[in-house]
């Protein structure tokens, strides 16, 4: 089960949880599960086109997803 660590400023939207266990077999599915569970996070992570906002960085282990194949 994938685990996602939330930065402190966004924990307000995850009931204070610092680490979340989410479902999904790739980054896009995990992010879909995240915003399905915590819909208030969506506007902070995604723009109106459903793309990650430029300042949002996702890491898979130590690699930035933007430097890999993206979501």
């Amino acid at each position: 089960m994938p685990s996602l660590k939330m930065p402190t400023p966004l924990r307000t939207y995850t009931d204070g949880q610092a680490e979340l266990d989410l479902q999904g077999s790739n980054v896009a599915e995990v992010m879909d599960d995240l915003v399905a569970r915590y819909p208030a996070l969506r506007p902070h992570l995604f723009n109106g086109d459903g793309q990650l906002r430029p300042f949002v960085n996702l890491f898979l282990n130590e690699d930035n997803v933007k430097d890999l194949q993206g979501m």
Side-chain angles (χ1 to χ4, degrees):
M1 179 175 297
S3 177
L4 181 72
K5 293 181 182 175
M6 293 302 296
T8 303
L10 294 178
R11 292 179 192 167
T12 301
Y13 305 101
T14 61
D15 301 324
Q17 294 182 63
E19 192 164 336
L20 305 165
D21 292 325
L22 301 165
Q23 300 292 319
S25 60
N26 58 44
V27 174
E29 290 178 5
V30 170
M31 294 303 291
D32 286 344
D33 187 35
L34 173 66
V35 295
R37 292 181 193 202
Y38 304 99
L41 271 173
R42 183 178 296 279
H44 298 281
L45 302 176
F46 297 95
N47 64 23
D49 295 329
Q51 300 297 313
L52 275 179
R53 294 190 177 275
F55 55 82
V56 174
N57 291 301
L58 296 175
F59 290 87
L60 182 60
N61 300 317
E62 294 182 14
D63 298 316
N64 190 327
V65 169
K66 292 176 185 175
D67 297 334
L68 301 172
Q69 296 176 3
M71 293 202 10

